[in-house]
Amino acid sequence: MNKCEFMARAIDLAKKGKLKTQPNPMVGCVIVKNNKVVGEGWHKEYGKDHAEINAIKDCKKKFGAKKAIKLIAGADMYVNLEPCSIEKNTPPCANTLIKYNIKRLFCGTLDPNPKINGRGIKSLNNAGIETNVGLLKDECKELNRVFFVNQKKSRPYIILKSAQSIDGKIALKNGNSKWISNPGSRRNSHHLRSRVKGILVGRKTAEEDNPSLTIRLSKKELNLNKGDSIKQPVKIILGNLKKSKKVNKIFSKNSKVIIGSRMLAKNVSGIEYIKYDDKNFLEEFMKDLYEKDISSILVEGGQKTINAFIANNLFDELVLYTAPTFLGKESIQTLGLRAPKSMKHLKRLKMAKVEIFNDDIKTTYFNGKI
């Protein structure tokens, strides 16, 4: 295997933690001695051992502690993200690499956390460990889009999602939209929900649809082990919403609900109200949610809610499920944005992926670079 193949393996390992590491990044680690893998690991869950520690433990498990120490000394290590150099839930990984006498570190990208950015590499260099940064850099950054946005913008990673007809409509004139997309698309949308820490809708959508805003997939469908639990996202409402018989699924038992609006309300069990004075409080609301460890949000609101996020340039990903049907000109449009002043003011997104679910087409777009 060559260097790129070892880093690709580290990336594959990192992906194993995709449903459990937020707000931490996904990290994989491969230890190589004489061009052979002697240990590998990944960050399995937030607050637990990092990838480098798990790779060292794997080496010890395979070869025994004494032989493992000899194998790791003078070995190469491949990680997709810079080893941490600060102590939070776990000791600094950079110190562990120094302790075990790693010879060379191949790192995909620096940690965007301003408290770490380059410090881990510097401490390794000072200890005589050779470091190489940038191997499969784009792939490593892409893997942790959520973490990079969190660190650089101090807000959640925001995904806007909508299902529309081929003529760009989300509902009939009377608001009926059940169902535009097919069952395959709807199952896939639950995989989207499993990626995030919170699901947001506007007050109007909550009142008209009475949605559950939950992940309705099995552990097998999510590639989870039997002992794992499915962690439901926090339910987030934009606008003043009161509990009623008409709206009861959102406030179901054991649900965590956060409501951001300009109305003052008293917090009750499981429901937190956040009041804002400004009419446009969306950006402030996002920062407050991030302070509550909600590192990623899926916005499933209607036209007004999605338009607000786009108008404020508060999104990182746009996902459109397009069904091969027509709803007609009287129906509600997916978007209702103001026209730009001129063509040079057009906002362009990057098409990241196209998938097909029976006859539905799912298109994923990225907004800007990370």
Side-chain angles (χ1 to χ4, degrees):
M1 293 176 71
N2 59 38
K3 294 174 184 177
C4 288
E5 289 173 319
F6 287 130
M7 183 61 77
R9 174 58 181 165
I11 292 172
D12 286 341
L13 288 167
K15 291 176 181 178
K16 292 175 178 282
K18 67 180 180 179
L19 298 183
K20 294 184 175 183
T21 63
Q22 285 190 50
N24 278 359
M26 292 178 279
V27 182
C29 177
V30 177
I31 303 173
V32 178
K33 189 71 170 282
N34 298 326
N35 208 42
K36 292 183 178 180
V37 175
V38 296
E40 57 182 29
W42 66 95
H43 182 36
K44 296 180 179 180
E45 190 172 345
Y46 174 73
K48 294 190 176 180
D49 286 339
H50 289 184
E52 298 91 332
I53 307 304
N54 284 328
I56 290 170
K57 287 183 175 180
D58 179 58
C59 185
K60 289 181 177 180
K61 184 177 179 181
K62 288 177 178 176
F63 300 100
K66 288 185 178 180
K67 187 175 180 180
I69 290 172
K70 291 181 180 180
L71 285 171
I72 296 169
D76 294 338
M77 180 177 281
Y78 293 79
V79 287
N80 56 288
L81 191 72
E82 176 184 8
C84 65
S85 54
I86 58 174
E87 184 165 354
K88 193 176 179 183
N89 295 318
T90 60
C93 291
N95 291 0
T96 303
L97 270 60
I98 295 169
K99 174 185 173 183
Y100 280 86
N101 296 308
I102 291 291
K103 181 181 180 181
R104 292 189 299 179
L105 173 78
F106 292 89
C107 169
T109 178
L110 295 180
D111 192 318
N113 185 340
K115 294 180 180 179
I116 298 175
N117 191 258
R119 282 184 55 188
I121 295 298
K122 185 178 179 180
S123 66
L124 294 174
N125 286 336
N126 290 341
I129 296 174
E130 180 186 335
T131 58
N132 298 268
V133 180
L135 186 61
L136 299 188
K137 179 181 178 180
D138 291 342
E139 292 87 341
C140 291
K141 290 182 73 173
E142 183 63 39
L143 175 68
N144 280 308
R145 287 182 64 84
V146 172
F147 184 68
F148 273 77
V149 167
N150 292 165
Q151 295 300 320
K152 290 183 175 182
K153 299 185 178 182
S154 298
R155 66 159 174 79
Y157 185 85
I158 300 168
I159 304 171
L160 309 182
K161 171 233 148 182
S162 185
Q164 63 176 14
S165 63
I166 205 168
D167 54 343
K169 311 291 183 177
I170 59 171
L172 297 175
K173 188 176 180 180
N174 62 7
N176 187 3
S177 62
K178 195 174 181 178
W179 296 99
I180 293 176
S181 58
N182 64 39
S185 291
R186 296 198 295 276
R187 273 194 303 275
N188 181 261
S189 72
H190 282 272
H191 281 280
L192 263 182
R193 287 182 174 186
S194 72
R195 286 174 48 194
V196 299
K197 304 291 280 187
I199 302 174
L200 183 148
V201 296
R203 175 191 57 80
K204 186 176 179 182
T205 296
E207 291 177 342
E208 291 181 352
D209 295 350
N210 188 26
S212 298
L213 303 183
T214 56
I215 302 166
R216 295 189 291 280
L217 293 174
S218 67
K219 292 180 182 180
K220 184 178 180 180
E221 288 174 302
L222 292 171
N223 293 319
L224 293 173
N225 297 320
K226 288 184 178 180
D228 294 332
S229 60
I230 298 175
K231 294 183 179 179
Q232 295 293 343
V234 175
K235 302 173 184 182
I236 305 164
I237 312 300
L238 185 62
N240 189 38
L241 179 71
K242 294 181 180 179
K243 187 176 181 180
S244 66
K245 291 182 179 179
K246 186 179 178 181
V247 183
N248 54 26
K249 291 182 180 178
I250 287 175
F251 301 100
S252 59
K253 188 178 180 181
N254 297 325
S255 293
K256 170 65 177 176
V257 182
I258 299 177
I259 300 174
S261 74
R262 298 176 69 198
M263 302 291 291
L264 182 64
K266 185 179 180 181
N267 292 343
V268 295
S269 179
I271 307 172
E272 180 180 357
Y273 293 88
I274 308 177
K275 180 183 179 297
Y276 297 95
D277 296 325
D278 293 338
K279 186 176 181 180
N280 185 358
F281 59 83
L282 198 56
E283 186 171 356
E284 188 179 357
F285 189 28
M286 293 301 103
K287 290 186 179 296
D288 286 340
L289 292 173
Y290 181 59
E291 290 296 319
K292 298 178 184 296
D293 282 338
I294 299 176
S295 52
S296 54
I297 292 173
L298 178 64
V299 179
E300 294 190 352
Q303 184 200 82
K304 185 178 179 181
T305 300
I306 289 179
N307 282 358
F309 278 89
I310 295 176
N312 285 276
N313 198 31
L314 273 175
F315 72 104
D316 306 289
E317 199 170 313
L318 172 65
V319 177
L320 293 176
Y321 294 90
T322 303
T325 187
F326 301 93
L327 294 187
K329 64 180 182 180
E330 295 85 5
S331 297
I332 301 171
Q333 293 180 323
T334 307
L335 302 174
L337 300 168
R338 289 183 178 180
K341 294 179 181 179
S342 65
M343 292 300 288
K344 69 179 182 180
H345 291 98
L346 283 177
K347 183 172 188 62
R348 293 192 179 276
L349 307 181
K350 177 185 177 182
M351 183 186 289
K353 194 174 185 180
V354 177
E355 300 165 85
I356 297 176
F357 299 98
N358 295 323
D359 292 325
D360 286 0
I361 298 175
K362 175 190 175 185
T363 313
T364 301
Y365 300 91
F366 290 154
N367 179 27
K369 296 180 179 180
I370 52 173

